[in-house]
Amino acid sequence: MSQPERPRSGSAMHDATVWERVGRAVLLRCPRCGARGIWRSWFKMKDHCPTCGLNFERGETSDFWIGAYLINLVVAELSAVVVAGVMWATLGSRVSFNVLWGASMALAILMPILFYPFSRDLWLAIDIHIRPSEEGD
Ligand SMILES: [Zn+2]
């Protein structure tokens, strides 16, 4: 059982590099303070960080998460193309077109589901780095 993390100091939360924030996002942690437990489920993020209180709905409008959807789409489509390309390059004529197509389609369908929380956390990390949170955020 994991212990809840203690809040870090304000300067540590705001002075993190973009790579530190991305690293926290890859671990599905709060990109501002690094705390765990910001997800209710695989598809549902909490409204606020339970440790630092960061409001995860940072956009003024509902289109704030379009960046996360774009990250998710690019990763899913790139993974489908890269895997098919690597299979074709390494196996050549030993693999049929149907196998390549099937693997690509499976990845194109599964990756958006598997990568969903990572894309949202990554977008939040990028947004926090570009628009640092303010007191009371
Ligand atoms: Zn936090």
Side-chain angles (χ1 to χ4, degrees), residues 30 33 49 52:
C30 173
C33 71
C49 174
C52 72

Side-chain angles (χ1 to χ4, degrees), residues 45-114:
M45 189 178 241
K46 291 181 179 173
D47 296 332
H48 297 84
C49 174
T51 303
C52 72
L54 173 67
N55 181 6
F56 294 141
E57 293 294 332
R58 293 172 54 83
E60 293 81 19
T61 61
S62 60
D63 59 358
F64 172 71
W65 294 109
I66 287 177
Y69 299 141
L70 179 64
I71 291 171
N72 203 355
L73 177 70
V74 168
V75 168
E77 302 310 314
L78 274 180
S79 68
V81 169
V82 167
V83 166
V86 168
M87 286 176 69
W88 182 74
T90 56
L91 299 174
S93 61
R94 289 177 284 167
V95 62
S96 73
F97 172 80
N98 288 339
V99 170
L100 289 176
W101 187 84
S104 293
M105 290 301 107
L107 281 172
I109 293 169
L110 290 176
M111 280 304 292
I113 296 168
L114 297 175

Side-chain angles (χ1 to χ4, degrees), residues 7-53:
R8 298 193 172 101
S9 69
S11 63
M13 288 192 293
H14 296 286
D15 293 342
T17 67
V18 68
W19 297 115
E20 287 172 319
R21 295 184 197 284
V22 166
R24 293 169 185 166
V26 168
L27 296 173
L28 297 180
R29 295 181 176 202
C30 173
R32 183 164 81 171
C33 71
R36 297 177 180 161
I38 65 169
W39 290 89
R40 291 183 203 282
S41 68
W42 193 254
F43 297 107
K44 184 71 178 156
M45 189 178 241
K46 291 181 179 173
D47 296 332
H48 297 84
C49 174
T51 303
C52 72

